[in-house]
Amino acid sequence: MNHRKQFVVEPGQKVRLAKINPSDTGGPESREEALAETQRHVARMDALQYLLYANAEQSLLVVLQALDAAGKDGVVRHLFSGMNPQGTAVVGFRQPTPIEAAHDFLWRAHQRTPGKGEVVIFNRSHYEDVLVVRVHKLAPKSVWSKRYTMINDFERTLRQNGTRILKFFLHISPDEQLARFKQRLEDPARNWKISESDYSERELWSDYVDAYQDALEQTSTKHAPWYVIPANHKWFRNLAISRIIVDTMEDMNLKLPPTRVDLAQIRAKYHAAEQEQGFRGTSPADAGPGE
Ligand code: AMP
Ligand code: MG
């Protein structure tokens, strides 16, 4: 199953979220099969990240956006647990601090983009500046409406500098959201996740849908595609996202870097010295006179 083709928003495509089934499970796969396959993808992501880090030429930026309780945190926990923390980072975007608010909206995002060899996950992102800002009228339309072009330019700059960008919108239904809020209210382990604003934001659902549709239509590009992921079923959400990440990383042609030193010479020099002295850990300074 090619989930990239299935769920991508083609550049210029109209998006009607009401027509995309959030309970879709993409085919006949059972939950058990999906869990096993997701585990294989997570292992592969780990192996590919090792190559990305070793090579240090390209990088990967994963953007997660969604309404509350759609599973952004779950995606981070389930799919990125296999990657080496050295070379990986998760960045959460909250209300801008005074310093952030004093700068252009891309400033804080640009500071946290991945360096060469790194994987960065944006849990929310610069897209909040055309989503929550629009819905709550935190800036006038004359300000936020210019941001789509700025975002496209920004992401093109990253892409041209070796960063692959994958953007996922986790698509859930209002009923599923309500059920998850209820779990958060009732399960002591999840109480900390619920707040009154979750319920008040929910009343703005259709405004958020409008804002998301515009963002998806105007900023899904060849260099930074959006994927709308059916997310009512957590197991399918994880399967689809992990598969798209693996497929993309496979396309990056990641290889171990070429050896930059003369291995034969180093082996001859140090391995021989080690045997002579009868212990491991000989430093170059101990290697003997004339070395
Ligand atoms: P959470 O993801 O639950 O930690 O909540 C973070 C909150 O910060 C959400 O309500 C976001 O909408 C809000 N937020 C993130 N970015 C911005 C922004 N640029 N302007 C205003 N609010 C934001
Ligand atoms: Mg929240």
Side-chain angles (χ1 to χ4, degrees), residues 68-69 72 124 184 193 195 197-198:
D68 288 311
K72 298 188 299 297
R124 301 185 190 271
R184 291 178 177 188
K193 280 201 147 191
S195 68
S197 74
D198 289 329

Side-chain angles (χ1 to χ4, degrees), residues 99-111 129 147 150 154:
I99 290 175
E100 288 170 348
H103 290 78
D104 74 89
F105 79 103
L106 291 169
W107 182 76
R108 65 174 180 164
H110 206 162
Q111 289 181 70
D129 292 279
R147 290 180 171 165
M150 297 178 194
F154 168 60

Side-chain angles (χ1 to χ4, degrees), residues 35-208:
L35 292 177
E37 195 184 328
T38 302
Q39 278 325 106
R40 288 197 294 277
H41 292 160
V42 167
R44 186 68 190 140
M45 280 162 60
D46 185 25
L48 289 164
Q49 185 228 351
Y50 183 82
L51 298 178
L52 183 81
Y53 186 77
N55 217 283
E57 282 181 348
Q58 305 180 68
S59 58
L60 177 67
L61 174 62
V62 176
V63 171
L64 301 176
Q65 282 289 160
L67 293 170
D68 288 311
K72 298 188 299 297
D73 295 345
V75 168
V76 173
R77 191 150 53 90
H78 290 286
L79 302 188
F80 294 95
S81 53
M83 286 193 181
N84 187 343
Q86 179 155 279
T88 314
V90 182
V91 182
F93 287 81
R94 300 226 149 104
Q95 274 191 6
T97 64
I99 290 175
E100 288 170 348
H103 290 78
D104 74 89
F105 79 103
L106 291 169
W107 182 76
R108 65 174 180 164
H110 206 162
Q111 289 181 70
R112 310 302 293 275
T113 54
K116 292 193 188 309
E118 294 174 351
V119 176
V120 169
I121 300 117
F122 279 2
N123 186 342
R124 301 185 190 271
S125 66
H126 46 295
Y127 282 94
E128 292 293 329
D129 292 279
V130 291
L131 296 166
V132 68
V133 166
R134 167 173 166 172
V135 169
H136 284 278
K137 303 185 169 57
L138 303 177
K141 182 171 185 181
S142 59
V143 169
W144 58 254
S145 63
K146 296 194 181 83
R147 290 180 171 165
Y148 303 102
T149 311
M150 297 178 194
I151 289 173
N152 288 337
D153 290 346
F154 168 60
E155 292 177 353
R156 190 180 311 104
T157 302
L158 298 180
R159 181 69 184 87
Q160 288 180 347
N161 281 277
T163 302
R164 286 287 180 130
I165 305 168
L166 291 174
K167 303 181 295 197
F168 296 104
F169 170 66
L170 314 183
H171 180 43
I172 56 164
S173 62
D175 288 354
E176 178 63 22
Q177 188 194 51
L178 198 59
R180 292 184 187 182
F181 283 177
K182 193 155 173 265
Q183 280 179 341
R184 291 178 177 188
L185 271 180
E186 283 165 13
D187 176 357
R190 298 181 206 219
N191 286 166
W192 67 276
K193 280 201 147 191
I194 194 80
S195 68
E196 200 158 348
S197 74
D198 289 329
Y199 287 93
S200 54
E201 286 298 280
R202 200 179 135 72
E203 285 165 22
L204 301 168
W205 191 280
S206 71
D207 294 342
Y208 273 108

Side-chain angles (χ1 to χ4, degrees), residues 266-283:
I266 294 177
R267 278 190 202 109
K269 189 165 157 188
Y270 293 102
H271 192 64
E274 234 173 66
Q275 282 178 334
E276 206 171 282
Q277 299 191 12
F279 64 91
R280 293 196 147 266
T282 313
S283 76

